[in-house]
Amino acid sequence: MCGIVGYIGKNRAVPYLLEGLEKLEYRGYDSAGIATVENGALRVLKTKGRVSSLESLIASEHRSPANIGIGHTRWATHGKPNNANAHPHESQSGLFCVVHNGVIENYLTLKTDLQAEGFVFRSETDTEVIAHLLEKNYDGDFVSTVRKTTAMLEGAYALCILCREFPDQIVCTRWGSPLVLGQCDEGCFIASDVSALLSHTSDIFYLDGHETVLVSANGMTFFDKFGVPTKKQSRHLDLNVSAAQKEGYDHFMLKEIMEQPRAVGDTIRGRITKEGKIAFEDFHLSDDEVRDLQRITIIACGSAYHAGAVGKYVIEKLARLPVEIDIASEYRYRDPVLDPHTLVILISQSGETADTLAALRLANEHGAKTLCIVNVVSSSIANEGGSVIYTHAGPEIAVATTKAYAAQVAVLYLLAGYLAEKRGLLVGEDLASYVRDLLALPEQIEKTLASCKAQMEAFSQLFIPLEHAYFIGRNLDYACAMEASLKLKEISYIHSEAYAAGELKHGTISLIEKGTLVVALCACSAVFPKTLSNIKEVKARGARVLAVATEGENTALSEVDFKVLLPNVNPLFSVTLEVLPMQLLGYYTAKNRGCDIDKPRNLAKSVTVE
Ligand code: F6R
């Protein structure tokens, strides 16, 4: 996600800000900027592109003597990656400027109100509302103005703020997004991530939610959530920068697996209106066009295709539209039958996968309606799609996708509910309960990760010596089987196959022999008895079975060798929990086989696969 840095002390601020931003580059970003206070005025420099472009801009523009400043690397969520949308953002008269991590969910309402009062917006970001609100709420007291402003925000934020009237102070606060501080002889340092502080100090102050801190060259004054000054203890860290970048996890992949509650939460929240309906910003199909749809085709590659397979089941079930899914590299070389009543959905984390882009262009040429589900804002696929829904997973660094996949599935749940509502098939209490279940998902994901992490590490021992593994499931469980199998083979180099469980008996079962390891995915209650009969088939041939099912099916699984039990949730959503132990299995198996899990990739991945 985005990165924040700040410095105030006895030295020039700019070199510290640039150094901090470089330490945060690993997180992935598309633009960078800094702000300083010079001669009683705020000075902002920002640019699309790398921190090195910002360095050149600073070198060509001026050599700032300021000893106070804030900086930011942005990963676009609202609005394109360009100079105007880069942080810091200034208020109308330049009284305040702010850098922000997180997503403000009620920014559209706030923006409309501010515009009605005459505030002029220069960017498409949610952050700019904060800058203008600070100016509107200004009461002569820096901390109180910030507190008044954050009380109006819904969503997540870590904020670092400068005010022209207080040239020797920085105010920071947070809710939902992290912010840390440190102090040493050189001055006080602020960052969104400890890796930017460790070269100066290992004694870190972790800001709590709704806490505010007033930072000056001499020190920091903390205020609790009620605005009362409070004493705060630092925590000593024995971490190097590389370990800190992974937040203490051994690999980015595990870090990203554990980030899924946030990725899914950020993707869902903000798309649920106050009235409890599902809404999208860049969805350009009218209600009549949605009602007139006759068919949906979902096109993607790899894990994004597997997310599409979940989408197929859920959209067909709820919106009663026929959905076909296609692999982009196949689709682009076919002569597909398309018409204006077909909605073609393209799914891509990077937004740059060449086959998916080619499929999108083909669909556009045939006059089909297109909708892209993309993680990278303003990527090629996002730019060329008729409508776009962004997954707010944040930059994904590990090569094997996890949190972006989860966010894609979350968007497909939202979309299925949206289409069903517009087509009159999900209304009233049914819609309300669907939305409630959806909003509960991030917490369920968090609980499931916590409960199965150690268990999957232990089960990975079974897979370490394997040459082959099989994953079986039906319906949504089959979609999960495909993703589980890919996760295992991609990073552990174990040959694995995913089969629709009922299809095994048509030939492939001959490969199942004494000792073969079969992972049976059976969280989908509608087909559980059927999958159980397939488990019996493979057991009869001597296979060892690891079953993943909901708690309610525990007793029926008395014959299996190993079990992972998941909480009972809305049956349509159980697949989102079921994939979690499978991601952990892939990760721990690869780790324990000594495989190169993160592979050499420094920045957020953005693949162009031919
Ligand atoms: C698997 C994985 C790949 C991608 C695929 C599509 O872990 O990461 O299978 O899902 O290459 O990439 P995007 O989503 O960027 O189009």
Side-chain angles (χ1 to χ4, degrees):
M1 299 294 273
C2 310
I4 286 179
V5 293
Y7 169 79
I8 178 163
K10 58 186 183 192
N11 300 324
R12 286 182 57 235
V14 171
Y16 289 122
L17 298 178
L18 291 175
E19 179 209 310
L21 292 179
E22 274 160 14
K23 292 262 166 50
L24 298 180
E25 279 192 308
Y26 78 95
R27 297 160 73 100
Y29 65 100
D30 49 55
S31 48
I34 59 164
T36 52
V37 191
E38 285 174 51
N39 305 322
L42 300 184
R43 185 174 172 105
V44 175
L45 284 172
K46 51 189 189 175
T47 177
K48 181 181 169 195
R50 320 304 300 169
V51 173
S52 53
S53 317
L54 181 65
E55 260 174 75
S56 325
L57 184 68
I58 289 164
S60 64
E61 281 249 334
H62 76 315
R63 205 180 127 78
S64 168
N67 71 332
I68 171 171
I70 58 178
H72 193 261
T73 46
R74 171 173 188 253
W75 164 273
T77 53
H78 294 79
K80 298 179 190 65
N82 59 23
N83 289 1
N85 290 335
H87 298 214
H89 288 284
E90 287 178 274
S91 64
Q92 181 102 322
S93 74
L95 179 59
F96 287 93
C97 91
V98 58
V99 292
H100 164 222
N101 281 3
V103 176
I104 303 302
E105 284 158 16
N106 59 337
Y107 89 100
L108 273 180
T109 320
L110 294 169
K111 184 170 177 173
T112 314
D113 294 349
L114 285 162
Q115 280 170 325
E117 290 175 43
F119 285 89
V120 177
F121 281 74
R122 304 175 196 107
S123 78
E124 303 159 276
T125 64
D126 51 344
T127 304
E128 196 179 346
V129 298
I130 306 172
H132 293 315
L133 279 178
L134 286 163
E135 183 157 321
K136 176 180 143 89
N137 292 330
Y138 183 56
D139 60 9
D141 181 301
F142 198 175
V143 172
S144 131
T145 304
V146 171
R147 286 177 42 77
K148 270 188 205 154
T149 300
T150 52
M152 300 169 76
L153 305 179
E154 285 167 24
Y157 52 82
L159 300 173
C160 208
I161 305 164
L162 292 177
C163 176
R164 195 175 55 205
E165 298 294 313
F166 297 90
D168 303 322
Q169 294 176 352
I170 302 173
V171 172
C172 308
T173 186
R174 67 166 282 265
W175 173 250
S177 295
L179 209 58
V180 288
L181 297 101
Q183 188 177 3
C184 63
D185 285 350
E186 298 151 283
C188 294
F189 293 84
I190 305 148
S192 50
D193 175 329
V194 284
S195 59
L197 300 189
L198 288 177
S199 53
H200 304 287
T201 177
S202 298
D203 294 313
I204 307 295
F205 294 89
Y206 286 82
L207 205 60
D208 289 330
H210 293 310
E211 238 179 3
T212 309
V213 54
L214 179 69
V215 191
S216 71
N218 305 323
M220 303 178 275
T221 311
F222 291 90
F223 300 88
D224 69 11
K225 61 180 176 184
F226 305 107
V228 178
T230 172
K231 279 225 170 316
K232 195 148 180 90
Q233 289 299 321
S234 63
R235 221 189 297 163
H236 184 78
L237 294 188
D238 281 321
L239 273 183
N240 60 29
V241 172
S242 157
Q245 288 179 339
K246 293 177 196 138
E247 288 172 15
Y249 293 109
D250 287 342
H251 297 95
F252 282 112
M253 183 175 171
L254 184 57
K255 173 175 175 275
E256 288 166 4
I257 288 174
M258 302 310 281
E259 278 173 1
Q260 289 179 103
R262 190 214 35 82
V264 170
D266 283 357
T267 301
I268 295 173
R269 286 191 305 265
R271 264 94 188 232
I272 307 293
T273 66
K274 280 203 179 92
E275 297 73 38
K277 293 203 168 165
I278 299 165
F280 301 109
E281 269 166 55
D282 289 323
F283 191 83
H284 301 301
L285 258 61
S286 67
D287 290 0
D288 281 345
E289 285 175 312
V290 170
R291 279 188 282 272
D292 284 350
L293 287 177
Q294 286 170 7
R295 196 161 60 102
I296 290 181
T297 301
I298 300 179
I299 305 168
C301 302
S303 294
Y305 171 84
H306 301 154
V310 175
K312 171 183 165 69
Y313 287 108
V314 181
I315 295 171
E316 285 185 344
K317 180 96 190 146
L318 294 180
R320 305 306 297 150
L321 273 165
V323 182
E324 56 182 33
I325 49 169
D326 226 318
I327 294 167
S329 54
E330 286 295 312
Y331 186 88
R332 66 179 287 196
Y333 298 113
R334 288 219 318 268
D335 188 4
V337 181
L338 283 163
D339 61 50
H341 298 288
T342 303
L343 174 66
V344 179
I345 301 176
L346 295 298
I347 309 176
S348 175
Q349 185 283 129
S350 61
E352 301 295 345
T353 301
D355 286 323
T356 313
L357 183 58
L360 167 64
R361 288 180 176 155
L362 190 65
N364 280 339
E365 275 163 28
H366 280 72
K369 296 183 171 63
T370 56
L371 163 67
C372 300
I373 299 174
V374 180
N375 197 37
V376 180
V377 173
S378 270
S379 51
S380 306
I381 292 174
N383 285 343
E384 294 186 32
S387 299
V388 187
I389 305 178
Y390 287 111
T391 48
H392 291 163
E396 195 169 58
I397 295 171
V399 171
T401 183
T402 52
K403 63 174 182 172
Y405 164 86
Q408 288 162 352
V409 171
V411 166
L412 288 159
Y413 284 135
L414 285 165
L415 186 64
Y418 178 86
L419 297 174
E421 194 248 321
K422 296 288 173 217
R423 293 166 64 81
L425 298 168
L426 189 66
V427 292
E429 180 44 34
D430 290 342
L431 175 63
S433 119
Y434 184 77
V435 165
R436 263 197 312 275
D437 290 347
L438 207 47
L439 288 168
L441 258 186
E443 200 184 325
Q444 298 288 0
I445 293 174
E446 189 158 5
K447 281 191 187 146
T448 306
L449 284 169
S451 69
C452 71
K453 190 161 166 277
Q455 193 184 18
M456 296 324 294
E457 186 168 11
F459 283 153
S460 73
Q461 297 297 327
L462 300 167
F463 289 74
I464 294 168
L466 291 188
E467 282 178 25
H468 309 282
Y470 295 87
F471 293 80
I472 60 168
R474 292 169 180 252
N475 197 289
L476 285 164
D477 295 327
Y478 176 48
C480 183
M482 291 192 279
E483 179 57 8
S485 168
L486 182 64
K487 284 285 94 78
L488 186 74
K489 72 177 83 148
E490 186 181 11
I491 46 170
S492 307
Y493 309 104
I494 294 172
H495 167 242
S496 78
E497 298 284 347
Y499 269 88
E503 183 67 9
L504 263 186
K505 59 178 170 289
H506 297 289
T508 309
I509 196 146
S510 60
L511 292 173
I512 310 290
E513 53 188 24
K514 194 167 182 324
T516 306
L517 200 49
V518 176
V519 181
L521 295 152
C522 39
C524 192
S525 52
V527 286
F528 179 78
K530 290 276 160 202
T531 312
L532 194 58
S533 69
N534 300 121
I535 292 175
K536 289 187 171 143
E537 271 166 21
V538 296
K539 282 295 298 170
R541 297 183 64 92
R544 292 173 298 157
V545 174
L546 164 62
V548 186
T550 54
E551 277 155 3
E553 314 290 11
N554 189 8
T555 39
L557 289 167
S558 55
E559 283 176 44
V560 303
D561 304 87
F562 316 100
K563 281 185 242 185
V564 180
L565 295 174
L566 306 168
N568 291 312
V569 292
N570 179 330
L572 284 181
F573 300 154
S574 56
V575 65
T576 348
L577 305 185
E578 188 174 40
V579 79
L580 305 170
M582 296 296 96
Q583 295 169 338
L584 288 163
L585 178 68
Y587 168 74
Y588 282 117
T589 307
K591 182 180 169 203
N592 294 329
R593 278 167 69 101
C595 302
D596 183 4
I597 295 171
D598 283 337
K599 304 200 176 123
R601 193 85 73 98
N602 294 329
L603 300 171
K605 65 183 178 188
S606 172
V607 281
T608 302
V609 186
E610 197 48 76

